[in-house]
Amino acid sequence: MTVSAYILVYNQASYLKEVIQSIINQTVPVQEILIIDDGSDTPLSNGLLTLNDSISIVRNPINCGRGYGRNLATNSLNSSLILSVDATNTIESSFVEKAIQYFGDPLVAAVYGRLHSHSYSGVINRWRARHLFKEFQDVGESGETDMLITYGTLMRKSSCIKAGGYDPNLKYDEDIELGKRILA
């Protein structure tokens, strides 16, 4: 199984080098990294391409939304497994190595893990850590769920395509909506 990755960016370039480095540093190699600049006010620098030969950038002229961007990435990348990492998150170096083990089961469509906040200062960052990332909670073991989370996820490309892909019209909750269709 091969792995490709994408990062969807809209005006969130501040952590992007760290995010890219966390993908490059995976113990299981990532074949290609696609950065989708979804109409950022200030377009991303081509200097990011120098971080690794496998990086490419696609720029949408306007903000098309997360459904459109994730669908574009899924259809553009060549590997059987697609790694999605949001522009504000990093993953540990063994993330892919740990997640890929679950794909021996043909019923597994996606695996996501625990992420950590860059900062706990401020109300928004504390909220993200507690409610979005559930950093301080025991989230249990693996199991079936219709909750697809794409902020740090390894996904079987064929499962996504078979379910019809992300809804390109959705700006938010595109992952939740796709998760329900995959489970159905």
Side-chain angles (χ1 to χ4, degrees), residues 3-160:
V3 178
S4 293
Y6 74 90
I7 307 165
L8 186 59
V9 182
Y10 175 66
N11 294 335
Q12 302 163 316
S14 58
Y15 293 117
L16 201 49
K17 285 185 181 178
E18 286 179 65
V19 178
I20 293 167
Q21 205 58 53
S22 76
I23 294 170
I24 292 169
N25 291 340
Q26 290 300 298
T27 55
V28 171
V30 173
Q31 305 301 312
E32 55 186 333
I33 301 170
L34 177 62
I35 302 170
I36 298 177
D37 183 348
D38 193 24
S40 295
D41 295 335
T42 303
L44 295 176
S45 165
N46 282 336
L48 294 169
L49 298 172
T50 63
L51 295 174
N52 191 283
D53 291 341
S54 67
I55 297 173
S56 60
I57 299 175
V58 171
R59 289 185 178 86
N60 294 336
I62 60 169
N63 178 254
C64 298
R66 294 182 346 192
Y68 179 88
R70 293 189 194 289
N71 215 35
L72 175 63
T74 302
N75 292 322
S76 298
L77 294 169
N78 297 309
S79 295
S80 59
L81 297 176
I82 307 292
L83 174 62
S84 167
V85 183
D86 281 359
T88 55
N89 302 325
T90 58
I91 54 175
E92 67 178 52
S93 62
S94 60
F95 179 84
V96 171
E97 180 182 352
K98 290 176 182 177
I100 206 167
Q101 298 173 29
Y102 292 93
F103 289 95
D105 180 344
L107 296 178
V108 171
V111 175
Y112 58 92
R114 187 168 259 176
L115 296 175
H116 300 283
S117 299
H118 285 283
S119 168
Y120 298 107
S121 65
V123 173
I124 292 173
N125 287 332
R126 284 193 302 277
W127 182 90
R128 285 180 72 207
R130 183 173 297 123
H131 300 287
L132 182 61
F133 297 157
K134 302 184 185 308
E135 286 187 45
F136 309 108
Q137 300 175 31
D138 179 10
V139 292
E141 295 298 318
S142 64
E144 185 176 288
T145 179
D146 66 352
M147 189 169 108
L148 177 61
I149 298 173
T150 51
Y151 53 69
T153 302
L154 189 60
M155 180 173 220
R156 192 183 307 267
K157 181 177 180 174
S158 61
S159 297
C160 182

